[in-house]
């Protein structure tokens, strides 16, 4: 294992995950959905806590792992509106959140295609938007996130390195190109102040400044 890989693995395992999350990861494997990795999940929890997030939108629910981390960061108040095209994912996520001790009303689950659901949500109504669904739709998700966020709100983009393909200019498949295009749009935006971290599969976090 290279030094870089060893450092990454050490950071990912620095804080062990509890039984609720480990069980949810097993369910995610069974469902065939890929959840946020531990390092990025911890960043999301910390960002939600530090920013005092009380209202969040999550694009891509899976088995409820990132939902749980966000709610833990949000403390005793606040709601995550989480969108997934698969009803089975929401069923699994409800079980995860119940095991984590969260009341059902802390998560508003909407089943449907994100690009059909997002336009129905309130302009400038949210403190955080997490993008973690179809990579090919990331540019459109970003457009919706900018509309949904309050000034001072945060957009977080998981899989920002997309299995190390995004930094490699030779990789030009649809998903990689879409993620790369999204990162470029964030970097060039006049209203976003971003940072890109290597935690998980890469996590881009940006604050909306205007």
């Amino acid at each position: 294992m290279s030094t870089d890989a060893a450092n990454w693995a050490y950071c990912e395992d620095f804080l062990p995950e509890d039984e609720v999350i480990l069980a949810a990861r097993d369910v995610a494997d069974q469902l065939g959905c890929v959840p946020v990795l531990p390092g990025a999940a911890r960043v999301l929890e910390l960002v939600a806590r530090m920013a005092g997030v009380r209202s969040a939108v999550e694009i891509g629910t899976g088995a409820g792992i990132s939902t749980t981390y966000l709610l833990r960061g949000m403390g005793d108040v606040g709601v995550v509106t989480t969108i997934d095209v698969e009803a089975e994912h929401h069923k699994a996520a409800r079980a995860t959140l119940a095991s984590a001790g969260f009341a059902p009303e802390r998560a508003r689950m909407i089943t449907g295609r994100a690009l059909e659901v997002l336009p129905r949500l309130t302009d400038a109504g949210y403190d955080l938007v997490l993008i973690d669904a179809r990579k090919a739709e990331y540019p459109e998700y970003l457009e919706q996130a900018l509309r949904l966020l309050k000034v001072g709100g945060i957009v977080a983009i998981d899989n920002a390195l997309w299995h190390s393909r995004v930094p490699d200019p030779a990789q030009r498949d649809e998903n990689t190109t879409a993620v790369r295009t999204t990162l470029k749009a964030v970097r060039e935006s006049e209203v976003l102040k971003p940072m890109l971290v290597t935690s998980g599969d890469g996590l881009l976090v940006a604050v909306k400044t205007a």
Side-chain angles (χ1 to χ4, degrees):
M1 182 182 291
S2 69
T3 301
D4 287 346
N7 287 341
W8 179 87
Y10 180 80
C11 290
E12 288 295 296
D13 295 335
F14 183 67
L15 294 173
E17 294 188 305
D18 60 33
E19 293 301 319
V20 171
I21 297 297
L22 293 176
R25 291 195 183 281
D26 287 340
V27 172
D29 286 343
Q30 296 167 19
L31 292 173
C33 53
V34 181
V36 62
L37 290 174
R42 295 288 187 183
V43 173
L44 288 171
E45 179 181 0
L46 186 62
V47 165
R49 187 178 302 277
M50 293 175 66
V53 170
R54 293 295 177 263
S55 57
V57 174
E58 177 184 46
I59 307 170
T61 310
I65 292 169
S66 50
T67 322
T68 301
Y69 274 103
L70 286 173
L71 286 173
R72 286 175 174 174
M74 292 164 69
D76 295 332
V77 297
V79 175
V80 175
T81 297
T82 182
I83 305 163
D84 202 291
V85 73
E86 298 290 345
E88 193 69 15
H89 292 178
H90 280 159
K91 180 180 178 182
R94 288 188 184 94
T96 297
L97 295 180
S99 295
F102 292 109
E105 58 267 23
R106 295 294 304 278
R108 174 192 179 201
M109 298 192 184
I110 304 176
T111 304
R113 288 191 65 245
L115 292 180
E116 296 175 357
V117 174
L118 291 168
R120 304 202 300 264
L121 302 183
T122 304
D123 290 6
Y126 300 90
D127 300 313
L128 182 146
V129 176
L130 170 60
I131 296 173
D132 188 18
R134 291 192 61 203
K135 309 311 164 200
E137 295 180 349
Y138 268 29
E140 289 83 3
Y141 297 157
L142 177 62
E143 290 179 10
Q144 291 293 324
L146 288 173
R147 180 183 61 80
L148 295 172
L149 285 171
K150 304 172 183 177
V151 174
I154 297 162
V155 59
I157 301 173
D158 192 32
N159 304 116
L161 298 176
W162 193 231
H163 312 309
S164 301
R165 299 175 69 85
V166 169
D168 182 357
Q171 305 298 328
R172 300 179 181 178
D173 61 277
E174 180 185 19
N175 288 334
T176 302
T177 299
V179 176
R180 190 181 291 132
T181 297
T182 305
L183 267 59
K184 183 175 184 288
V186 171
R187 187 175 60 215
E188 295 179 351
S189 171
E190 296 181 355
V191 299
L192 291 174
K193 294 296 183 183
M195 70 172 182
L196 177 60
V197 297
T198 56
S199 297
D201 189 29
L203 185 71
L204 182 73
V205 180
V207 177
K208 182 180 177 181
T209 60

